[in-house]
Amino acid sequence: MKKTRFFSILLAIVLLLAVPFGSAGAAGFTDVSGKHWASYEINRLVSKGVIKGYEDNSFKPNQTITRAQAAVILSRVLKLDTSKDPKIVYKDVSKDYYAYDAIAAVTNADIMKGSNGEFRPNDDVTRAQMAIILTNAFKLKGNGTTSFKDVAKDFYAYEAIDALYANEITTGNEQNAFNPNQPTTRAHFAVFLSRVLDKQYANDPIVQELKEIYQKEFELNSYEFEGTMNYGFEFPTIEGATEEATAIFDMFKDIHVDFKGVYQKDPLQLEMDMTFKLNGPFPIGDIKLPVVMTADKMWIQIPELPFAPTPEEYKGKFIEMDFAELSEVTGQPAPVMDIELQQKLNEELFDLFFDHFGGEYYEEVSKDAIQVPEGIEVDKVIKFEMTNDELTPFIQKLFNKILPEFVALLENPEYAKALGVTSEDIEMLKQSLEAAELDIKDIVGEINNYVTLNELKEYIAVHPEKYIGYDVLNFDIDFTMEGETFGLKINYKMGKSNVNEKPNFVIGIPDATKIIKFEDLINFEGVIED
């Protein structure tokens, strides 16, 4: 039930951002547009506080990077301790020099060295020197397969350049040259450093651990679940609005949902009993909404609305939605509820996400980071967090990396059938992505001008048996358009119990006497009294 909640939030962000806006620079830089070839890498490193621009709001991507600047950047990305005052003796680096602490840190970490008693902080970093610096910083290893025409095996930086090549950090240019003596620009340094980080994140043990946790999730045969959801919608003040209209908007500022239910994997059956509470200035009574679903059908019980009584003949009845019949009406293929196929597809989708984002956005935190209900065992707690500064590079990677790979997955006919999409749908999606490529580059440059991500955190409490025993999601975002701000807050908590035990369905599949066909829903619209 929960498995797609978090990813639905992320997808919602993407859809809300996919609107036409003018072009702007990476991280607001005046000289790095959204279309700049290195805008993603620059955005990414700026969002992490690793690299910065200048006071005039420029980045100067084509300006060469100096040894002092490289030392500062590496000390930040590696989180080296610059608070200490180790003794370094460089004739050209005084203690009051702006980069003294960073130079001391990288020197003592054996990442950068000077010569003849000098560090030469204002010298440009050549591409060969960049290779050595990155190889030292991240302990990269080569395999002796590099064959750039301008890098002989006896060249002083051959092993470092070979390490970059072996780790797919560099491929050289079309002439099979590395240009080792050419100065490194700030843009190129950002790109190379970002690629190294990708390798580090991909090899982070947490990536494989996340894959194993979610694989275990998909393998669960049954469980009971219980939790809460709190929604809050903030609307701009409407000039001239009546008190009644204002009160209606205020009701949506605090919506509370309690839910509990039972899940069974095979044969698929899920039931959930939800209770809605609108806690505005004029709170209404609880609204209960039981839902039951199988592989073929879904039933939703007609709710008892405090402000609109339901006729006696409809009380306790369920609206039945037959997926096959809905498919005929809409002309769209019905999703195939093949449990094994769905599990395989889900695993691939989550693996795709974790391969790109697992090492960068997830980390293990203290068990005390969240309050877990009694009775739920916790082995460890893992946190996902994305900040407002990280939103732009996140969206860039989502569009440039994940969506194309997702479309490639859908080219598997079985997966397409499982999701209820046709080959025509997939081809249209591919064409849309290709056509939207330049627009996306424009959009990402403007994201922070109209979107403020106040909070996006998920905590998963991992049970000793490696499934998610308890889950917490906090989401808070504002959209500003034409001077008006709209806000959305979501808080979600859910825990599992009686995992892999015999499911105890309370609602059950409704019998024929309690069912209203979905096609009769139009007739039902007229039975609610004013």
Side-chain angles (χ1 to χ4, degrees), residues 237-268:
T237 302
I238 301 176
E239 188 175 348
T242 64
E243 290 185 10
E244 291 80 3
T246 301
I248 291 173
F249 282 117
D250 286 345
M251 281 199 310
F252 290 95
K253 289 183 177 180
D254 186 7
I255 302 173
H256 180 84
V257 184
D258 292 315
F259 63 88
K260 61 180 179 180
V262 185
Y263 164 81
Q264 175 181 275
K265 178 180 176 181
D266 192 16
L268 177 61

mmCIF file of all heavy atoms in Angstrom, residues 237-268:
data_model
loop_
_atom_site.group_PDB
_atom_site.id
_atom_site.type_symbol
_atom_site.label_atom_id
_atom_site.label_comp_id
_atom_site.label_asym_id
_atom_site.label_seq_id
_atom_site.Cartn_x
_atom_site.Cartn_y
_atom_site.Cartn_z
ATOM 1 N N THR A 237 -4.803 34.779 -0.404
ATOM 2 C CA THR A 237 -5.977 35.549 0.003
ATOM 3 C C THR A 237 -6.712 36.070 -1.231
ATOM 4 O O THR A 237 -6.097 36.656 -2.131
ATOM 5 C CB THR A 237 -5.573 36.729 0.889
ATOM 6 O OG1 THR A 237 -4.868 36.229 2.033
ATOM 7 C CG2 THR A 237 -6.795 37.512 1.338
ATOM 8 N N ILE A 238 -8.006 35.809 -1.295
ATOM 9 C CA ILE A 238 -8.804 36.247 -2.435
ATOM 10 C C ILE A 238 -9.535 37.533 -2.045
ATOM 11 O O ILE A 238 -10.370 37.543 -1.130
ATOM 12 C CB ILE A 238 -9.814 35.162 -2.849
ATOM 13 C CG1 ILE A 238 -9.066 33.878 -3.210
ATOM 14 C CG2 ILE A 238 -10.667 35.641 -4.019
ATOM 15 C CD1 ILE A 238 -9.978 32.716 -3.528
ATOM 16 N N GLU A 239 -9.197 38.596 -2.728
ATOM 17 C CA GLU A 239 -9.804 39.888 -2.409
ATOM 18 C C GLU A 239 -11.304 39.848 -2.673
ATOM 19 O O GLU A 239 -11.751 39.396 -3.732
ATOM 20 C CB GLU A 239 -9.154 40.986 -3.254
ATOM 21 C CG GLU A 239 -9.584 42.387 -2.864
ATOM 22 C CD GLU A 239 -8.830 43.459 -3.629
ATOM 23 O OE1 GLU A 239 -7.827 43.109 -4.291
ATOM 24 O OE2 GLU A 239 -9.237 44.623 -3.561
ATOM 25 N N GLY A 240 -12.069 40.261 -1.710
ATOM 26 C CA GLY A 240 -13.514 40.319 -1.878
ATOM 27 C C GLY A 240 -14.229 39.020 -1.603
ATOM 28 O O GLY A 240 -15.448 38.920 -1.791
ATOM 29 N N ALA A 241 -13.493 37.988 -1.152
ATOM 30 C CA ALA A 241 -14.119 36.692 -0.890
ATOM 31 C C ALA A 241 -15.061 36.799 0.302
ATOM 32 O O ALA A 241 -14.789 37.505 1.276
ATOM 33 C CB ALA A 241 -13.050 35.639 -0.623
ATOM 34 N N THR A 242 -16.177 36.087 0.242
ATOM 35 C CA THR A 242 -17.140 36.086 1.347
ATOM 36 C C THR A 242 -16.592 35.277 2.512
ATOM 37 O O THR A 242 -15.648 34.498 2.365
ATOM 38 C CB THR A 242 -18.472 35.475 0.889
ATOM 39 O OG1 THR A 242 -18.251 34.099 0.548
ATOM 40 C CG2 THR A 242 -19.027 36.226 -0.318
ATOM 41 N N GLU A 243 -17.220 35.433 3.671
ATOM 42 C CA GLU A 243 -16.801 34.668 4.843
ATOM 43 C C GLU A 243 -16.987 33.176 4.600
ATOM 44 O O GLU A 243 -16.183 32.360 5.044
ATOM 45 C CB GLU A 243 -17.613 35.110 6.065
ATOM 46 C CG GLU A 243 -17.275 36.506 6.560
ATOM 47 C CD GLU A 243 -18.008 36.841 7.846
ATOM 48 O OE1 GLU A 243 -18.626 35.913 8.429
ATOM 49 O OE2 GLU A 243 -17.955 37.998 8.283
ATOM 50 N N GLU A 244 -18.080 32.822 3.886
ATOM 51 C CA GLU A 244 -18.343 31.405 3.614
ATOM 52 C C GLU A 244 -17.250 30.814 2.727
ATOM 53 O O GLU A 244 -16.761 29.700 2.973
ATOM 54 C CB GLU A 244 -19.710 31.242 2.948
ATOM 55 C CG GLU A 244 -20.907 31.543 3.832
ATOM 56 C CD GLU A 244 -21.177 33.034 3.967
ATOM 57 O OE1 GLU A 244 -20.464 33.844 3.324
ATOM 58 O OE2 GLU A 244 -22.094 33.405 4.731
ATOM 59 N N ALA A 245 -16.867 31.576 1.693
ATOM 60 C CA ALA A 245 -15.823 31.086 0.780
ATOM 61 C C ALA A 245 -14.495 30.951 1.517
ATOM 62 O O ALA A 245 -13.769 29.961 1.341
ATOM 63 C CB ALA A 245 -15.679 32.032 -0.397
ATOM 64 N N THR A 246 -14.186 31.933 2.349
ATOM 65 C CA THR A 246 -12.944 31.877 3.120
ATOM 66 C C THR A 246 -12.944 30.683 4.066
ATOM 67 O O THR A 246 -11.928 29.997 4.232
ATOM 68 C CB THR A 246 -12.755 33.175 3.924
ATOM 69 O OG1 THR A 246 -12.724 34.282 3.025
ATOM 70 C CG2 THR A 246 -11.465 33.139 4.716
ATOM 71 N N ALA A 247 -14.090 30.416 4.674
ATOM 72 C CA ALA A 247 -14.199 29.289 5.603
ATOM 73 C C ALA A 247 -13.983 27.966 4.884
ATOM 74 O O ALA A 247 -13.363 27.040 5.416
ATOM 75 C CB ALA A 247 -15.568 29.303 6.280
ATOM 76 N N ILE A 248 -14.499 27.868 3.655
ATOM 77 C CA ILE A 248 -14.314 26.638 2.874
ATOM 78 C C ILE A 248 -12.836 26.414 2.582
ATOM 79 O O ILE A 248 -12.306 25.302 2.730
ATOM 80 C CB ILE A 248 -15.131 26.703 1.570
ATOM 81 C CG1 ILE A 248 -16.631 26.633 1.887
ATOM 82 C CG2 ILE A 248 -14.738 25.562 0.635
ATOM 83 C CD1 ILE A 248 -17.524 26.849 0.687
ATOM 84 N N PHE A 249 -12.133 27.482 2.155
ATOM 85 C CA PHE A 249 -10.701 27.354 1.891
ATOM 86 C C PHE A 249 -9.944 26.980 3.160
ATOM 87 O O PHE A 249 -9.013 26.175 3.136
ATOM 88 C CB PHE A 249 -10.146 28.660 1.316
ATOM 89 C CG PHE A 249 -10.444 28.862 -0.142
ATOM 90 C CD1 PHE A 249 -11.225 29.923 -0.565
ATOM 91 C CD2 PHE A 249 -9.951 27.986 -1.094
ATOM 92 C CE1 PHE A 249 -11.505 30.107 -1.914
ATOM 93 C CE2 PHE A 249 -10.214 28.155 -2.439
ATOM 94 C CZ PHE A 249 -11.005 29.223 -2.856
ATOM 95 N N ASP A 250 -10.355 27.568 4.286
ATOM 96 C CA ASP A 250 -9.673 27.301 5.555
ATOM 97 C C ASP A 250 -9.829 25.849 5.997
ATOM 98 O O ASP A 250 -8.962 25.308 6.693
ATOM 99 C CB ASP A 250 -10.202 28.235 6.646
ATOM 100 C CG ASP A 250 -9.698 29.667 6.482
ATOM 101 O OD1 ASP A 250 -8.734 29.862 5.712
ATOM 102 O OD2 ASP A 250 -10.266 30.579 7.110
ATOM 103 N N MET A 251 -10.952 25.213 5.590
ATOM 104 C CA MET A 251 -11.155 23.810 5.971
ATOM 105 C C MET A 251 -10.054 22.911 5.414
ATOM 106 O O MET A 251 -9.711 21.888 6.008
ATOM 107 C CB MET A 251 -12.513 23.312 5.460
ATOM 108 C CG MET A 251 -13.692 23.756 6.303
ATOM 109 S SD MET A 251 -15.166 22.729 5.998
ATOM 110 C CE MET A 251 -15.273 22.729 4.229
ATOM 111 N N PHE A 252 -9.484 23.317 4.271
ATOM 112 C CA PHE A 252 -8.475 22.477 3.625
ATOM 113 C C PHE A 252 -7.072 22.721 4.177
ATOM 114 O O PHE A 252 -6.128 22.102 3.717
ATOM 115 C CB PHE A 252 -8.494 22.725 2.116
ATOM 116 C CG PHE A 252 -9.722 22.189 1.441
ATOM 117 C CD1 PHE A 252 -10.816 23.011 1.217
ATOM 118 C CD2 PHE A 252 -9.799 20.867 1.057
ATOM 119 C CE1 PHE A 252 -11.961 22.522 0.617
ATOM 120 C CE2 PHE A 252 -10.937 20.368 0.455
ATOM 121 C CZ PHE A 252 -12.022 21.191 0.222
ATOM 122 N N LYS A 253 -6.962 23.595 5.161
ATOM 123 C CA LYS A 253 -5.660 23.833 5.766
ATOM 124 C C LYS A 253 -5.251 22.706 6.708
ATOM 125 O O LYS A 253 -4.067 22.556 7.018
ATOM 126 C CB LYS A 253 -5.667 25.157 6.538
ATOM 127 C CG LYS A 253 -5.720 26.391 5.650
ATOM 128 C CD LYS A 253 -5.650 27.665 6.483
ATOM 129 C CE LYS A 253 -5.641 28.906 5.609
ATOM 130 N NZ LYS A 253 -5.571 30.150 6.407
ATOM 131 N N ASP A 254 -6.224 21.937 7.167
ATOM 132 C CA ASP A 254 -5.920 20.893 8.152
ATOM 133 C C ASP A 254 -6.847 19.705 7.922
ATOM 134 O O ASP A 254 -7.948 19.647 8.459
ATOM 135 C CB ASP A 254 -6.070 21.439 9.567
ATOM 136 C CG ASP A 254 -5.620 20.435 10.636
ATOM 137 O OD1 ASP A 254 -5.073 19.385 10.253
ATOM 138 O OD2 ASP A 254 -5.826 20.712 11.823
ATOM 139 N N ILE A 255 -6.397 18.760 7.112
ATOM 140 C CA ILE A 255 -7.162 17.547 6.832
ATOM 141 C C ILE A 255 -6.413 16.375 7.460
ATOM 142 O O ILE A 255 -5.240 16.139 7.165
ATOM 143 C CB ILE A 255 -7.322 17.307 5.323
ATOM 144 C CG1 ILE A 255 -8.009 18.503 4.665
ATOM 145 C CG2 ILE A 255 -8.106 16.022 5.057
ATOM 146 C CD1 ILE A 255 -8.054 18.428 3.162
ATOM 147 N N HIS A 256 -7.084 15.669 8.314
ATOM 148 C CA HIS A 256 -6.463 14.537 9.014
ATOM 149 C C HIS A 256 -7.124 13.241 8.564
ATOM 150 O O HIS A 256 -8.346 13.149 8.488
ATOM 151 C CB HIS A 256 -6.613 14.696 10.531
ATOM 152 C CG HIS A 256 -5.993 13.583 11.311
ATOM 153 N ND1 HIS A 256 -4.654 13.556 11.641
ATOM 154 C CD2 HIS A 256 -6.533 12.444 11.818
ATOM 155 C CE1 HIS A 256 -4.401 12.448 12.324
ATOM 156 N NE2 HIS A 256 -5.515 11.754 12.449
ATOM 157 N N VAL A 257 -6.309 12.241 8.250
ATOM 158 C CA VAL A 257 -6.818 10.943 7.812
ATOM 159 C C VAL A 257 -6.185 9.850 8.667
ATOM 160 O O VAL A 257 -4.959 9.731 8.726
ATOM 161 C CB VAL A 257 -6.499 10.668 6.327
ATOM 162 C CG1 VAL A 257 -7.123 9.342 5.888
ATOM 163 C CG2 VAL A 257 -6.981 11.807 5.442
ATOM 164 N N ASP A 258 -7.010 9.082 9.330
ATOM 165 C CA ASP A 258 -6.559 7.862 9.995
ATOM 166 C C ASP A 258 -6.888 6.685 9.090
ATOM 167 O O ASP A 258 -7.964 6.646 8.480
ATOM 168 C CB ASP A 258 -7.272 7.674 11.340
ATOM 169 C CG ASP A 258 -6.868 8.720 12.367
ATOM 170 O OD1 ASP A 258 -5.663 8.989 12.480
ATOM 171 O OD2 ASP A 258 -7.765 9.272 13.032
ATOM 172 N N PHE A 259 -5.990 5.742 8.993
ATOM 173 C CA PHE A 259 -6.279 4.581 8.147
ATOM 174 C C PHE A 259 -5.672 3.320 8.756
ATOM 175 O O PHE A 259 -4.674 3.363 9.470
ATOM 176 C CB PHE A 259 -5.740 4.788 6.725
ATOM 177 C CG PHE A 259 -4.238 4.927 6.644
ATOM 178 C CD1 PHE A 259 -3.420 3.809 6.505
ATOM 179 C CD2 PHE A 259 -3.634 6.180 6.704
ATOM 180 C CE1 PHE A 259 -2.045 3.936 6.420
ATOM 181 C CE2 PHE A 259 -2.261 6.315 6.640
ATOM 182 C CZ PHE A 259 -1.463 5.191 6.493
ATOM 183 N N LYS A 260 -6.307 2.220 8.471
ATOM 184 C CA LYS A 260 -5.767 0.922 8.846
ATOM 185 C C LYS A 260 -6.339 -0.114 7.888
ATOM 186 O O LYS A 260 -7.410 0.090 7.293
ATOM 187 C CB LYS A 260 -6.104 0.555 10.293
ATOM 188 C CG LYS A 260 -7.581 0.450 10.609
ATOM 189 C CD LYS A 260 -7.766 0.083 12.087
ATOM 190 C CE LYS A 260 -9.246 -0.008 12.460
ATOM 191 N NZ LYS A 260 -9.427 -0.374 13.884
ATOM 192 N N GLY A 261 -5.601 -1.192 7.726
ATOM 193 C CA GLY A 261 -6.077 -2.186 6.779
ATOM 194 C C GLY A 261 -5.232 -3.435 6.762
ATOM 195 O O GLY A 261 -4.356 -3.643 7.611
ATOM 196 N N VAL A 262 -5.485 -4.250 5.746
ATOM 197 C CA VAL A 262 -4.826 -5.541 5.597
ATOM 198 C C VAL A 262 -4.411 -5.714 4.141
ATOM 199 O O VAL A 262 -5.162 -5.354 3.220
ATOM 200 C CB VAL A 262 -5.762 -6.706 6.001
ATOM 201 C CG1 VAL A 262 -5.018 -8.033 5.958
ATOM 202 C CG2 VAL A 262 -6.348 -6.467 7.384
ATOM 203 N N TYR A 263 -3.217 -6.261 3.942
ATOM 204 C CA TYR A 263 -2.703 -6.518 2.588
ATOM 205 C C TYR A 263 -2.350 -7.994 2.449
ATOM 206 O O TYR A 263 -1.748 -8.587 3.351
ATOM 207 C CB TYR A 263 -1.464 -5.674 2.321
ATOM 208 C CG TYR A 263 -0.640 -6.134 1.136
ATOM 209 C CD1 TYR A 263 -0.995 -5.801 -0.162
ATOM 210 C CD2 TYR A 263 0.512 -6.909 1.329
ATOM 211 C CE1 TYR A 263 -0.234 -6.219 -1.250
ATOM 212 C CE2 TYR A 263 1.282 -7.335 0.255
ATOM 213 C CZ TYR A 263 0.914 -6.987 -1.035
ATOM 214 O OH TYR A 263 1.666 -7.408 -2.100
ATOM 215 N N GLN A 264 -2.737 -8.561 1.307
ATOM 216 C CA GLN A 264 -2.348 -9.933 0.960
ATOM 217 C C GLN A 264 -1.825 -9.914 -0.465
ATOM 218 O O GLN A 264 -2.444 -9.344 -1.371
ATOM 219 C CB GLN A 264 -3.556 -10.871 1.051
ATOM 220 C CG GLN A 264 -3.278 -12.298 0.580
ATOM 221 C CD GLN A 264 -4.514 -13.163 0.681
ATOM 222 O OE1 GLN A 264 -4.799 -13.725 1.727
ATOM 223 N NE2 GLN A 264 -5.274 -13.251 -0.413
ATOM 224 N N LYS A 265 -0.673 -10.536 -0.648
ATOM 225 C CA LYS A 265 -0.013 -10.492 -1.946
ATOM 226 C C LYS A 265 -0.652 -11.400 -2.979
ATOM 227 O O LYS A 265 -0.929 -10.980 -4.118
ATOM 228 C CB LYS A 265 1.468 -10.859 -1.761
ATOM 229 C CG LYS A 265 2.277 -10.911 -3.052
ATOM 230 C CD LYS A 265 3.716 -11.296 -2.736
ATOM 231 C CE LYS A 265 4.529 -11.448 -4.005
ATOM 232 N NZ LYS A 265 5.928 -11.849 -3.721
ATOM 233 N N ASP A 266 -0.901 -12.658 -2.632
ATOM 234 C CA ASP A 266 -1.378 -13.621 -3.623
ATOM 235 C C ASP A 266 -2.362 -14.604 -2.984
ATOM 236 O O ASP A 266 -1.982 -15.344 -2.082
ATOM 237 C CB ASP A 266 -0.181 -14.385 -4.212
ATOM 238 C CG ASP A 266 -0.544 -15.200 -5.440
ATOM 239 O OD1 ASP A 266 -1.627 -14.932 -6.013
ATOM 240 O OD2 ASP A 266 0.255 -16.073 -5.832
ATOM 241 N N PRO A 267 -3.640 -14.599 -3.439
ATOM 242 C CA PRO A 267 -4.181 -13.697 -4.459
ATOM 243 C C PRO A 267 -4.301 -12.281 -3.903
ATOM 244 O O PRO A 267 -4.581 -12.104 -2.711
ATOM 245 C CB PRO A 267 -5.549 -14.287 -4.776
ATOM 246 C CG PRO A 267 -5.946 -14.997 -3.530
ATOM 247 C CD PRO A 267 -4.675 -15.556 -2.957
ATOM 248 N N LEU A 268 -4.087 -11.297 -4.762
ATOM 249 C CA LEU A 268 -4.064 -9.914 -4.312
ATOM 250 C C LEU A 268 -5.392 -9.515 -3.681
ATOM 251 O O LEU A 268 -6.456 -9.670 -4.268
ATOM 252 C CB LEU A 268 -3.783 -8.982 -5.488
ATOM 253 C CG LEU A 268 -3.807 -7.488 -5.159
ATOM 254 C CD1 LEU A 268 -2.740 -7.145 -4.125
ATOM 255 C CD2 LEU A 268 -3.640 -6.650 -6.409
#
